[in-house]
Amino acid sequence: MKKSIIRGTGKFVPPHVVTNDDLTAIMDTSDEWIRQRTGIQQRHWITEEEPCGASDLGTNAAKMALEAAGWTPDDIDFIIFATLSPDIMFPGGGCLLARNLGLKSTPALDIRQQCTGFLYGFATADAYIKAGLAEKVLLVGAEVHSSGLDMSTRGRDVTVIFGDGAAAVCIEADDTEDNVGLVASALHADGHYADSLKTELPASNLFRRMPEDISLDDPRYFPVMDGPTIFKKAVRMLPQVTMEVLKKAEMEITDIDLVVPHQANKRINQAYGQFLKLPEDKIYHNIQKYGNTTAASIPLALHEAMEEGRVGKPGDVVLFVGLGAGLTWGASIYKFP
Ligand code: UT7
């Protein structure tokens, strides 16, 4: 059976850095609160002078990944684009990204799995590869959160954690008999918690999806989150799904060289590590630089972990894990060839 191998990774974040202190100028928050509760020190946001969409950030990340893989855009035979902040309502950002790459007929699939977009995307890419439907898949996670955040104190719990950014991986089918590539994945969703983290408008379940009598200040235009509920779910489900994927892969936690988790809150990932009795250096963090970049978060962390030499040597095993809006959660294990 064909194996799904990562041939190249790439990242792109908008250059404008917003520090915690910058946020204190627009809302009632503090550097101390944000650092202590989340581990975030800064994030990157697009600017009014240079607005752009998730697909634009994704295109830059994709170009870097393509170069690393030694591919040209024409080599790609399937695109998977993960975002919760699409450039426009429709068509999907995958089509826009393909257009940016100059492609005219390459299939492009958008997925809306929020913080687990990379996990769902990698599993989908692997299924296409194993089914013989694709050989070279470009998987991109990209978000422009900042243009949709509530910049008043009302939205501070969400606004301080979200950052803009993108990351991409080139995944190729390989005929090797070795047990490498995407070894196993476990995915879940529970829509009963959909209200715990959501943006409601525009909404096709209303008679007018953009009601004329609603003020642009209406909280339904902004992401709202029941942070403590999501936090508690994460510290319970992330270890659980880790054990599930380890069992599928017939591995032990000690076989994992590095956990690359979704970067939602450093405290969540530390609690996860304590539960699984992992040494601190076995969990990768870059939330301090970027905040929560949702669909971009795991591939962005992977790209930097590889750049820093933390993982990527032949035989290294990395475990990806995350939970977010939906709720959706999952984990996967990848072994470098
Ligand atoms: O990636 C998607 C999945 N999302 C997550 O995994 C996020 C999970 N949740 C969290 O990370 C945390 O719940 C938050 C970081 C969002 C919030 O931290 P918390 O420790 O759960 O705080 P809280 O919501 O319980 O609020 C505690 C206090 C409240 O004040 P009172 O009622 O105690 O007076 C909040 O109003 O902190 C206040 N607060 C803030 N204060 C300063 C909330 N946000 C802020 C803020 N700055 N930005």
Side-chain angles (χ1 to χ4, degrees), residues 89 199-211 220-221:
M89 279 285 281
T199 300
E200 276 185 73
L201 292 178
S204 67
N205 62 4
L206 297 177
F207 179 62
R208 292 281 169 232
R209 65 182 62 177
M210 284 167 280
R220 287 180 294 168
Y221 280 113

Side-chain angles (χ1 to χ4, degrees), residues 265-317:
N265 185 324
K266 195 169 183 183
R267 284 192 300 137
I268 292 178
N269 292 343
Q270 285 169 334
Y272 166 89
Q274 280 159 14
F275 188 90
L276 293 171
K277 299 188 172 44
L278 283 166
E280 275 186 28
D281 65 353
K282 287 239 173 168
I283 306 187
Y284 190 77
H285 306 282
N286 64 0
I287 192 170
Q288 66 280 5
K289 293 191 282 181
Y290 303 116
N292 179 349
T293 57
T294 309
S297 145
I298 294 178
L300 182 55
L302 172 67
H303 175 82
E304 295 206 330
M306 290 173 67
E307 223 173 32
E308 293 165 21
R310 298 274 301 271
V311 77
K313 295 186 304 299
D316 279 356
V317 181

Side-chain angles (χ1 to χ4, degrees), residues 182-234:
L182 188 70
V183 177
S185 58
L187 302 173
H188 297 278
D190 184 355
H192 293 94
Y193 289 87
D195 290 337
S196 302
L197 178 49
K198 65 178 176 182
T199 300
E200 276 185 73
L201 292 178
S204 67
N205 62 4
L206 297 177
F207 179 62
R208 292 281 169 232
R209 65 182 62 177
M210 284 167 280
E212 283 166 17
D213 56 339
I214 289 186
S215 146
L216 281 177
D217 198 31
D218 191 302
R220 287 180 294 168
Y221 280 113
F222 302 106
V224 289
M225 175 168 68
D226 175 356
T229 294
I230 305 264
F231 194 103
K232 282 182 218 141
K233 273 277 177 195

Side-chain angles (χ1 to χ4, degrees), residues 145-165:
H145 285 304
S146 58
S147 54
L149 296 172
D150 182 348
M151 296 294 176
S152 72
T153 295
R154 183 183 63 184
R156 64 183 177 174
D157 57 332
V158 175
T159 300
V160 302
I161 67 176
F162 278 145
D164 301 338

